[in-house]
Each structure stands twice: as structure tokens, then as C-alpha cells.
Amino acid sequence: MLFRYGSAVTGKFFYDRSDIQKKISSLLVGGQSFMLKAPRRYGKTSLLKNVLQTKKFDYFYADFRKTPRLELFNNKLLEYLYSKMGIKGALKQLQENAVSFLLTHKTTVKVTLPLFEASVELFGGAVMKEDERMVQILDLIEQTAKELDETFYIVLDEFQDVKKLSGVETADILEMMRGTMQQHENVCYMFAGSHMTLMTEIFENRKSPFFNFCRKFVLDGFDIDELKQELVKAFKSKEIVFESDELLLNLLHKLKGHPANTMLVMQLLESLITEEDIKLISDLLIQKAYDEAREEMNDLISEYIKEIKTKEHLHDVIYRMASGERQILDANSLRQKRAYLIDMGYIRRKERGVYEIIDGFLEDNLLMI
Ligand SMILES: Nc1ncnc2c1ncn2[C@@H]1O[C@H](COP(=O)(O)OP(=O)(O)OP(=O)(O)O)[C@@H](O)[C@H]1O
Ligand SMILES: [Mg+2]
């Protein structure tokens, strides 16, 4: 199989993105923290994981969308800290008996004894608020990195959801995080998120603690020319060719460089051609793969439309975008509706005054009335 669809992809299943990979790669080498925002299913997680793996950097990864409580994040961080100190499965041992944990590992641990002892003292039973515990763990991670003379890499995915964690007692967890992270010279933080507006609010609003904290990137769709060449090459490795380059190019344009949708169509194309035991991809086959992909995405698209309908006028605004009809709302209301649609990840601003629907399948679906 040449293509993967669903969760994050790396290695041979990772396509395109050479420019941003280079940029990120040099930031990682310099230990420079950064944030990456992009709509859902655009390949943020894949990009970060792939660059880190390509550089063979070991890293910590947490996804705040999937994490219900701060305590769980802290425990994961702690496990990572101890793994860097050379201890596997530390948390369980620590919870069972902190003293014997200390005795068992004090001679083999990779850091100096005072640092190891400080870590155990902090977590061997002391009652502490989870947000304070987070700060302490992050500081210990920095100290460990410093002692080991290494850069540590920490990926905080869907970072905008950090405020939704339960167990956060401090009014501004962001303030607390920034306070500690800004002092860290040996940890490279990577923040990713799909909620465009919240990410902008966190990293670009002057009043936010993370304002000017790090470099910022917006991940666009695939670069169609680069991707086209790679796809031709991938199919060729199985002796499969397109009837014409133009066919592939048109398809990629129709998919608008949407990474997940594009990969789904490619995978279906590969299955169809294998099933039919042929080597030439025709226009008809492309049409079939595209329709199958859209069919497969139907439930998700219905969910999208349901969500769009939860706010007044949004459905008609986006419908008019799809059909090319003139918008009828006054300028202020239209601005507000577009802002909602951007927040929800359905449209994006291409340039001043020009917006486009991100997902081609959604666009098709809107027009099927
Ligand atoms: N560079 C890439 N090469 C090949 N496929 C990709 C790439 N980026 C994304 N994809 C496709 O998109 C799917 C989703 O990618 P990924 O999970 O990395 O996106 P995401 O932006 O992190 O999504 P979410 O917002 O849901 O977390 C992948 O399973 C894959 O099919
Ligand atoms: Mg992701």
C-alpha cells in the first residue's frame, strides 16, 4: 500500500511539505520553540512527528484534546522525565514506595543525586495542586536536560484545549506555563492546534501570556506541484501510470490540497487499480475513486453541516460561497459569520476579502440540494 489515511503518518507514507520540514528541522536543531496552526486533518501531527523522527530526536508528545485532566498530563510528563533519567515505569514504583524507589535507582540514575532526590521529594507523597506540580515537573525537565547537556523536545498538540482540562485551579494556566517555559533554555516546545482563532488568541494577542513567545507557522494545504511529482513516482514504483499528467493535476486541484481527503482518494485509486488488475489510471477511474471517497466522508460532512447550522445564517453564507452567489448580509454581519466559519475550520482566508471552503467534499455536498 502506498498511502495511509486516518491517524498521523510518517516515513514512507509522508508526502510533500519539504519547505516547512526544512524550516522546522533547522528550528529543532537550534532548540527554538514554535507553534503550528492549521485546520483539522491538515497534517499538523504528521508533520511534527515526521520531522522529529527524521532527525531521530526522541520527544514527548501530549494531545490536550484527548486529555481530560491536568493530573494525567502531569503523570505523563513525569514518566518522560524519569525515562530521560534512565528509569522506565517510574510512576508505578514511585506510587508504591518512594523511599525504595530512591534507593533502587540512586546509583544508576543518569543525573546527579541532588536532582534525583529533589524529584523524588517533590512527588513522593507531597500534596500539591496539579498546576503547581506541572510547573515543578517542567522545571525538573529543564534541569535534567541541562545536566545531560541535551535538548529535550516537547510536543503539545491541540494546545488551545489546555484551558479545558479539569484540575486547573489557577485562573490563568497559560500565564503559569509561560512563566516557567520562558526560562527554559534546554527544552524545545512545539505547540500545535486546529482551532485557528483560539491559537491566534493565545500566540498573537498582545494581552496573552504567550504573545511573542515563539515562532509561528500556519500550515497550508499540500503544494500541488510537489505532491504531483511524488505521487507520479509512488505509482510508478508499482508500474502504475496516469493516462495524462493533466488528469492528476486536475484531481489535485479539485481536492484543494486537502491532505486527508487527497490521501483517501489516492488510497482508493490504488485499490481500484489493483482490483481491476490494470496499470493505467483513466479519468473514469479517478471519478470513481473521488466519488467513493466523498461517499465515505458523507457522515462526517453531515456532521459538519449540522454544526454549521447551529449558528444562524452560517449555512446560507457558506452555501453562497460554494455556489458563487452574492452574499446578502451587511458587511458587519458577514464579517462575523465568516469569523465563525474560520473558527470552526470550514473556510479560510486566502487573501484580503477572498475566502475559500477548505474541504472540497463539503463544498460538493453543499451544492447537492
Ligand atoms: N504530509 C502528509 N503526507 C501524507 N498524508 C498526510 C500528510 N499530512 C496529512 N496526511 C493525511 O491526513 C491525515 C490526517 O493527518 P494528521 O492527523 O497529521 O492531521 P492533523 O492536522 O493533526 O489532524 P487533527 O486536527 O484531526 O489532529 C493522515 O492520516 C493522512 O492521510
Ligand atoms: Mg493532530
Side-chain angles (χ1 to χ4, degrees):
M1 194 173 276
L2 298 168
F3 313 101
R4 273 269 162 87
Y5 174 80
S7 52
V9 290
T10 56
K12 67 175 181 159
F13 295 111
F14 188 87
Y15 289 82
D16 195 82
R17 307 292 193 203
S18 61
D19 284 352
I20 193 154
Q21 278 222 96
K22 268 187 221 134
K23 271 189 214 158
I24 291 182
S25 195
S26 71
L27 294 185
L28 292 183
V29 173
Q32 164 70 53
S33 298
F34 63 90
M35 80 83 140
L36 178 71
K37 62 178 176 179
R40 292 219 59 181
R41 302 163 65 239
Y42 245 46
K44 300 170 290 296
T45 309
S46 301
L47 176 63
L48 295 178
K49 289 192 167 172
N50 194 60
V51 187
L52 285 156
Q53 282 182 23
T54 310
K55 298 297 288 180
K56 298 202 167 40
F57 289 158
D58 171 42
Y59 60 94
F60 171 84
Y61 175 87
D63 180 343
F64 284 117
R65 180 175 283 150
K66 293 184 181 155
T67 314
R69 331 190 278 281
L70 187 56
E71 183 201 357
L72 301 173
F73 170 67
N74 285 345
N75 289 347
K76 208 169 162 180
L77 265 182
L78 195 55
E79 206 72 87
Y80 169 74
L81 167 71
Y82 281 117
S83 79
K84 290 307 238 178
M85 291 185 178
I87 306 169
K88 296 264 173 280
L91 207 59
K92 200 163 167 272
Q93 300 172 40
L94 202 51
Q95 276 158 355
E96 276 168 12
N97 190 333
V99 178
S100 77
F101 175 77
L102 187 71
L103 291 173
T104 311
H105 300 289
K106 68 194 273 187
T107 50
T108 50
V109 69
K110 286 186 186 168
V111 292
T112 56
L113 208 52
L115 180 56
F116 181 49
E117 282 173 349
S119 75
V120 178
E121 261 167 46
L122 270 171
F123 305 105
V127 183
M128 197 184 289
K129 284 185 188 158
E130 285 300 328
D131 23 30
E132 282 166 15
R133 201 159 81 100
M134 176 190 72
V135 168
Q136 306 273 16
I137 302 172
L138 289 171
D139 284 342
L140 285 171
I141 286 175
E142 159 71 12
Q143 288 174 46
T144 303
K146 197 170 175 187
E147 274 201 10
L148 298 177
D149 196 20
E150 265 186 55
T151 302
F152 287 178
Y153 296 94
I154 294 194
V155 180
L156 302 177
D157 209 349
E158 302 300 352
F159 184 66
Q160 74 277 324
D161 283 10
V162 67
K163 287 185 152 188
K164 294 185 194 150
L165 289 173
S166 78
V168 174
E169 298 195 22
T170 317
D172 204 340
I173 179 99
L174 291 177
E175 191 111 36
M176 217 161 171
M177 278 188 154
R178 152 112 202 196
T180 171
M181 289 174 176
Q182 71 181 353
Q183 294 168 33
H184 296 172
E185 291 175 11
N186 300 278
V187 185
C188 173
Y189 292 100
M190 286 155 269
F191 307 90
S194 348
H195 196 300
M196 303 297 277
T197 315
L198 285 180
M199 288 299 280
T200 308
E201 188 63 28
I202 294 174
F203 290 92
E204 290 166 58
N205 183 333
R206 282 178 185 283
K207 291 187 186 142
S208 163
F210 276 89
F211 177 67
N212 261 350
F213 178 74
C214 58
R215 295 283 307 277
K216 300 178 277 289
F217 297 99
V218 180
L219 184 61
D220 279 330
F222 279 145
D223 172 334
I224 288 179
D225 293 328
E226 181 184 348
L227 181 67
K228 184 188 140 225
Q229 289 181 15
E230 291 183 0
L231 292 174
V232 166
K233 208 169 137 197
F235 279 112
K236 225 177 200 165
S237 72
K238 291 200 154 186
E239 286 151 26
I240 300 164
V241 289
F242 285 85
E243 234 170 51
S244 77
D245 271 14
E246 222 186 343
L247 278 185
L248 175 58
L249 206 57
N250 289 343
L251 171 63
L252 296 180
H253 278 294
K254 197 168 162 190
L255 288 160
K256 299 177 177 214
H258 188 294
N261 289 353
T262 303
M263 285 303 142
L264 179 59
V265 173
M266 291 306 140
Q267 197 180 71
L268 289 167
L269 209 47
E270 191 191 352
S271 323
L272 284 173
I273 200 143
T274 314
E275 270 166 32
E276 297 192 13
D277 201 18
I278 46 174
K279 295 285 179 193
L280 189 67
I281 300 177
S282 64
D283 195 16
L284 205 69
L285 206 72
I286 287 181
Q287 218 16 270
K288 211 168 157 187
Y290 184 90
D291 290 344
E292 267 186 33
R294 194 178 52 206
E295 186 68 27
E296 202 170 314
M297 298 313 293
N298 240 341
D299 288 350
L300 186 67
I301 302 290
S302 304
E303 288 300 315
Y304 288 171
I305 293 180
K306 218 192 262 171
E307 194 193 2
I308 289 169
K309 282 183 171 171
T310 56
K311 284 204 189 309
E312 209 184 359
H313 299 306
L314 291 199
H315 193 193
D316 193 45
V317 168
I318 198 168
Y319 175 83
R320 283 172 189 271
M321 282 181 71
S323 66
E325 283 171 72
R326 206 170 56 82
Q327 298 288 348
I328 51 160
L329 292 177
D330 63 81
N332 262 343
S333 314
L334 185 59
R335 196 174 308 124
Q336 187 199 35
K337 303 299 165 196
R338 279 177 175 152
Y340 282 140
L341 288 166
I342 293 174
D343 278 3
M344 292 168 157
Y346 295 124
I347 68 170
R348 66 179 176 144
R349 203 180 84 139
K350 273 180 86 176
E351 53 197 83
R352 215 188 147 91
V354 184
Y355 297 82
E356 77 166 356
I357 296 173
I358 287 173
D359 189 325
F361 293 148
L362 171 62
E363 189 165 280
D364 293 345
N365 201 295
L366 283 164
L367 295 172
M368 289 175 189
I369 55 170

